[in-house]
Amino acid sequence: QVRLVESGGGLVQPGGSLRLSCAASGSIARNYAMGWYRHAPGMQREKVATITNGGTTNYADSVKGRFTISRDGAKNTVYLQMNSLKPEDTAVYYCNLHETYDSEYDVYDYWGQGTQVTVAS
């Protein structure tokens, strides 16, 4: 059983910064990826950034150079540092855990409750 708890959202002016955190509780597989997705009203849900157990990161083109995903030494918390924020970054941000056990079919997905990020002047 895994539970994800997100925090760090809020209101920020364009050009400002926010740092989101996602704390994972429970037993996590050796092979996993954690990431952030966002969903704005009227828009498709978008994968923002992911990081694997090996440290490989991927970013959406829209956030490259501005956002950084990282995890702590205990590998139980993932962060999303968001700099140079734009109004179009406004969305609910969701934390995701995707883990794999013995085979490519033995996989599990978990989602956090979401945290609101609003970028406006």
Side-chain angles (χ1 to χ4, degrees), residues 2 9-10 18 25 32 34 49-50 52 56 58 62 64-65 74 76 80 90 93 95 97 102 109 119-120:
V2 176
L18 284 174
S25 62
Y32 70 88
M34 296 186 70
T50 59
T52 71
T56 301
N58 282 286
S62 59
K64 285 181 179 177
N76 64 342
L80 185 67
T90 297
Y93 285 70
C95 182
L97 168 66
D102 295 330
D109 276 286
V119 185

Short mmCIF file of all heavy atoms in Angstrom, two decimals, residues 2 9-10 18 25 32 34 49-50 52 56 58 62 64-65 74 76 80 90 93 95 97 102 109 119-120:
data_model
loop_
_atom_site.label_atom_id
_atom_site.label_comp_id
_atom_site.label_asym_id
_atom_site.label_seq_id
_atom_site.Cartn_x
_atom_site.Cartn_y
_atom_site.Cartn_z
N VAL A 2 0.64 2.13 -0.95
CA VAL A 2 1.38 3.37 -1.09
C VAL A 2 0.40 4.53 -1.06
O VAL A 2 -0.67 4.48 -1.69
CB VAL A 2 2.20 3.40 -2.38
CG1 VAL A 2 2.89 4.76 -2.55
CG2 VAL A 2 3.23 2.29 -2.39
N GLY A 9 1.62 24.03 -3.38
CA GLY A 9 0.94 24.87 -4.34
C GLY A 9 0.54 26.21 -3.75
O GLY A 9 0.61 26.42 -2.54
N GLY A 10 0.12 27.12 -4.62
CA GLY A 10 -0.31 28.43 -4.16
C GLY A 10 -0.40 29.41 -5.30
O GLY A 10 -0.38 29.05 -6.47
N LEU A 18 7.85 28.42 -7.32
CA LEU A 18 7.22 27.57 -6.33
C LEU A 18 7.95 26.24 -6.29
O LEU A 18 8.52 25.82 -7.29
CB LEU A 18 5.74 27.32 -6.64
CG LEU A 18 4.74 28.44 -6.36
CD1 LEU A 18 3.37 28.03 -6.89
CD2 LEU A 18 4.66 28.73 -4.87
N SER A 25 4.44 7.26 1.25
CA SER A 25 4.50 6.37 2.39
C SER A 25 4.17 4.95 1.94
O SER A 25 3.42 4.75 0.98
CB SER A 25 3.54 6.81 3.49
OG SER A 25 2.19 6.79 3.03
N TYR A 32 11.00 2.04 -10.18
CA TYR A 32 9.87 2.95 -10.14
C TYR A 32 10.18 4.23 -10.88
O TYR A 32 11.33 4.55 -11.17
CB TYR A 32 9.49 3.29 -8.69
CG TYR A 32 10.51 4.15 -7.97
CD1 TYR A 32 10.45 5.54 -8.04
CD2 TYR A 32 11.54 3.58 -7.24
CE1 TYR A 32 11.39 6.33 -7.40
CE2 TYR A 32 12.48 4.35 -6.59
CZ TYR A 32 12.40 5.72 -6.68
OH TYR A 32 13.34 6.51 -6.05
N MET A 34 8.63 8.33 -10.51
CA MET A 34 7.72 9.29 -9.92
C MET A 34 7.69 10.53 -10.79
O MET A 34 8.70 10.88 -11.40
CB MET A 34 8.12 9.65 -8.49
CG MET A 34 8.05 8.48 -7.53
SD MET A 34 8.36 8.95 -5.80
CE MET A 34 6.85 9.89 -5.46
N ALA A 49 6.94 16.24 -15.68
CA ALA A 49 8.29 15.78 -15.41
C ALA A 49 8.24 14.45 -14.70
O ALA A 49 7.32 14.19 -13.92
CB ALA A 49 9.07 16.80 -14.57
N THR A 50 9.24 13.59 -14.95
CA THR A 50 9.35 12.30 -14.28
C THR A 50 10.80 12.05 -13.89
O THR A 50 11.73 12.59 -14.50
CB THR A 50 8.87 11.14 -15.16
OG1 THR A 50 9.64 11.09 -16.36
CG2 THR A 50 7.39 11.29 -15.51
N THR A 52 13.18 8.48 -12.52
CA THR A 52 13.19 7.06 -12.23
C THR A 52 14.04 6.77 -11.01
O THR A 52 14.74 7.63 -10.49
CB THR A 52 13.73 6.26 -13.42
OG1 THR A 52 15.15 6.49 -13.55
CG2 THR A 52 13.04 6.65 -14.71
N THR A 56 17.06 9.01 -13.92
CA THR A 56 16.77 9.55 -15.24
C THR A 56 15.57 10.47 -15.18
O THR A 56 14.53 10.11 -14.63
CB THR A 56 16.51 8.42 -16.24
OG1 THR A 56 17.65 7.57 -16.31
CG2 THR A 56 16.22 8.98 -17.62
N ASN A 58 12.87 13.28 -17.25
CA ASN A 58 12.26 13.71 -18.49
C ASN A 58 11.34 14.88 -18.21
O ASN A 58 10.70 14.93 -17.16
CB ASN A 58 11.48 12.57 -19.16
CG ASN A 58 12.36 11.58 -19.87
OD1 ASN A 58 12.89 11.88 -20.94
ND2 ASN A 58 12.54 10.41 -19.29
N SER A 62 7.36 22.22 -22.75
CA SER A 62 6.88 23.50 -22.27
C SER A 62 7.54 23.95 -20.97
O SER A 62 7.44 25.13 -20.62
CB SER A 62 5.36 23.44 -22.07
OG SER A 62 5.00 22.43 -21.15
N LYS A 64 10.92 22.71 -20.01
CA LYS A 64 12.36 22.50 -20.04
C LYS A 64 13.10 23.81 -19.80
O LYS A 64 12.76 24.84 -20.38
CB LYS A 64 12.79 21.89 -21.37
CG LYS A 64 12.44 20.43 -21.52
CD LYS A 64 12.93 19.88 -22.85
CE LYS A 64 12.61 18.40 -22.99
NZ LYS A 64 13.02 17.86 -24.31
N GLY A 65 14.10 23.75 -18.94
CA GLY A 65 14.87 24.93 -18.60
C GLY A 65 14.29 25.76 -17.49
O GLY A 65 14.96 26.66 -16.98
N ALA A 74 16.39 9.50 0.86
CA ALA A 74 15.62 8.34 1.27
C ALA A 74 14.69 7.84 0.18
O ALA A 74 14.05 6.80 0.35
CB ALA A 74 14.81 8.67 2.53
N ASN A 76 11.87 8.82 -0.68
CA ASN A 76 10.47 8.79 -0.30
C ASN A 76 9.74 10.10 -0.58
O ASN A 76 8.54 10.19 -0.33
CB ASN A 76 10.32 8.40 1.16
CG ASN A 76 10.94 9.43 2.10
OD1 ASN A 76 11.75 10.26 1.69
ND2 ASN A 76 10.55 9.38 3.37
N LEU A 80 9.32 19.24 -7.16
CA LEU A 80 9.29 19.93 -8.44
C LEU A 80 9.56 21.40 -8.19
O LEU A 80 8.70 22.11 -7.66
CB LEU A 80 7.95 19.74 -9.16
CG LEU A 80 7.88 20.33 -10.57
CD1 LEU A 80 8.81 19.57 -11.52
CD2 LEU A 80 6.45 20.33 -11.10
N THR A 90 -0.62 27.61 -14.87
CA THR A 90 -1.72 27.46 -13.92
C THR A 90 -2.46 26.15 -14.16
O THR A 90 -2.91 25.88 -15.27
CB THR A 90 -2.68 28.64 -14.04
OG1 THR A 90 -2.01 29.85 -13.68
CG2 THR A 90 -3.88 28.46 -13.12
N TYR A 93 -1.72 20.31 -10.04
CA TYR A 93 -0.58 19.44 -10.24
C TYR A 93 -0.75 18.17 -9.40
O TYR A 93 -1.02 18.25 -8.20
CB TYR A 93 0.72 20.15 -9.86
CG TYR A 93 1.15 21.16 -10.89
CD1 TYR A 93 0.44 22.34 -11.08
CD2 TYR A 93 2.27 20.92 -11.69
CE1 TYR A 93 0.83 23.26 -12.04
CE2 TYR A 93 2.67 21.85 -12.65
CZ TYR A 93 1.95 23.01 -12.83
OH TYR A 93 2.34 23.92 -13.78
N CYS A 95 0.85 14.35 -8.26
CA CYS A 95 2.00 13.46 -8.14
C CYS A 95 1.60 12.05 -8.54
O CYS A 95 0.50 11.60 -8.23
CB CYS A 95 2.52 13.47 -6.70
SG CYS A 95 3.98 12.45 -6.42
N LEU A 97 3.12 7.88 -8.92
CA LEU A 97 4.10 6.83 -8.72
C LEU A 97 3.75 5.65 -9.62
O LEU A 97 2.63 5.15 -9.56
CB LEU A 97 4.15 6.38 -7.26
CG LEU A 97 4.95 5.10 -6.99
CD1 LEU A 97 6.43 5.30 -7.27
CD2 LEU A 97 4.74 4.64 -5.55
N ASP A 102 8.11 -7.91 -10.81
CA ASP A 102 8.80 -9.03 -11.45
C ASP A 102 8.74 -9.03 -12.97
O ASP A 102 9.55 -9.68 -13.62
CB ASP A 102 8.25 -10.36 -10.93
CG ASP A 102 8.53 -10.58 -9.46
OD1 ASP A 102 9.56 -10.07 -8.96
OD2 ASP A 102 7.73 -11.27 -8.80
N ASP A 109 0.10 1.88 -10.30
CA ASP A 109 0.08 3.34 -10.36
C ASP A 109 -0.66 3.91 -9.16
O ASP A 109 -1.71 3.40 -8.78
CB ASP A 109 -0.58 3.83 -11.64
CG ASP A 109 0.38 3.86 -12.82
OD1 ASP A 109 1.23 4.77 -12.85
OD2 ASP A 109 0.26 2.99 -13.70
N VAL A 119 -0.75 31.09 -11.38
CA VAL A 119 0.23 32.10 -11.75
C VAL A 119 -0.53 33.28 -12.35
O VAL A 119 -1.10 33.17 -13.44
CB VAL A 119 1.26 31.56 -12.75
CG1 VAL A 119 2.33 32.61 -13.03
CG2 VAL A 119 1.89 30.28 -12.22
N ALA A 120 -0.57 34.38 -11.64
CA ALA A 120 -1.33 35.54 -12.06
C ALA A 120 -0.81 36.78 -11.36
O ALA A 120 -0.24 36.71 -10.26
CB ALA A 120 -2.82 35.36 -11.75
#
